[in-house]
Amino acid sequence: MIHSLPANRCSRPVTRGFTLVELLVVISIIGILVSMLLPAVQQARESGNRVQCKNNLRNLGTGAKLHETAQKFYPTGGWGWGWAGDADRGFTRKQPGSWFYNILPYIEEPALHDLGKGVVNQTLKHQQHAKRAATPVAVFNCPTRRRALTWAMPNPRYVNMDNNLIRNGIARTDYAANGGDVAFAGIPEFGPQANALTFTNAQWKPLETAGNNYSRDHNTTGIVSIRSEWTSSAIKDGQSKTYLAGERYIDAALYESGQASDDDQGWDVAYDWDNIRGTQNPPQFDVNANNGGGADFFGSAHTTVFNMVMCDGSVQTLSYDVNRFVHRVLGHRADGQMFMGTLYETSSVLGQ
């Protein structure tokens, strides 16, 4: 006898899928969870970027201190726009290159510093200088703002560098040395004077008279200036109470274009807004101003704070509403204004 199987044993199991409404509900829930998680992820990323930025400044401060120990003065600011570093001209005020260039051997970049050293043929030497200027150095860039890459160089006008080569791109920096608490007296246009490389001491002397653009202090009160050789003893307000360098403001709309007048050169350019800033103006957060640049103040791409390294190598994270007077006098190495405690404590005492 053949026994038939029960009906429920023969039929195929019924599968039930999601309805459209259920699917939309699930997608909505996932979207809400992602929207809740994304700010936390971004906040964690920015927190990591700020830590890296502080480490960069700490390394720059250490490099400047090692330079001061070895050379007996803080790195010179070079000769002005149009001049790049030259390894055959040492570290004194005869060095045309930037303070960034001068600390390269002290931040584990001696090979980069020495590109072109001993090369007699000037064409080949300038090509080596261009190769250096197009080399990104990670410690010179804040990861919140932009990566260490080569960026556009629309109008290169260097005296001792192959300008055709750097049209392909140049490496920039997001930091600047403390040039003092007084406004720039104009960026000296010393670039066309290529014969300065052969100047004797007698030819330099009339350029070094008080008030002249090429006096050793260039009428500045900071740590790095034109052809400067400021010693630690010149920092009479104390190394822990004087800015060495910090983050600089840049027009956010022009990060990559090279169109901002204060961000059109590279880290290798000498005394210029690209790597020197003052404290006479309050710090500012980067905004999409698209106004061509020309800003002589510190600031950053961090939304609420900016970082400064002091002359003793310590790093301070400061709010943009830091007391303006305090910020200004910390740019002066010897004005007798020596504040105790943190900058935040001082700000609360003096008010805004």
Side-chain angles (χ1 to χ4, degrees), residues 55-56 80 101 111 138 239 259 265:
N55 287 338
N56 288 348
Y101 171 75
Q239 296 186 28
Q259 296 295 333
Q265 307 295 311

Side-chain angles (χ1 to χ4, degrees), residues 49 53 56 62 98 101 118 120 236 244-245 247 250 256 337:
N49 286 343
C53 184
N56 288 348
T62 299
S98 74
Y101 171 75
V120 177
K236 300 187 182 302
L244 170 63
E247 296 187 84
I250 300 176
E256 302 179 12
Q337 301 284 351

Side-chain angles (χ1 to χ4, degrees), residues 325-345:
F325 174 73
V326 174
H327 175 67
R328 176 166 185 167
V329 300
L330 286 171
H332 198 304
R333 63 183 177 271
D335 61 358
Q337 301 284 351
M338 294 176 284
F339 295 104
M340 303 301 292
T342 68
L343 298 183
Y344 294 110
E345 290 170 351

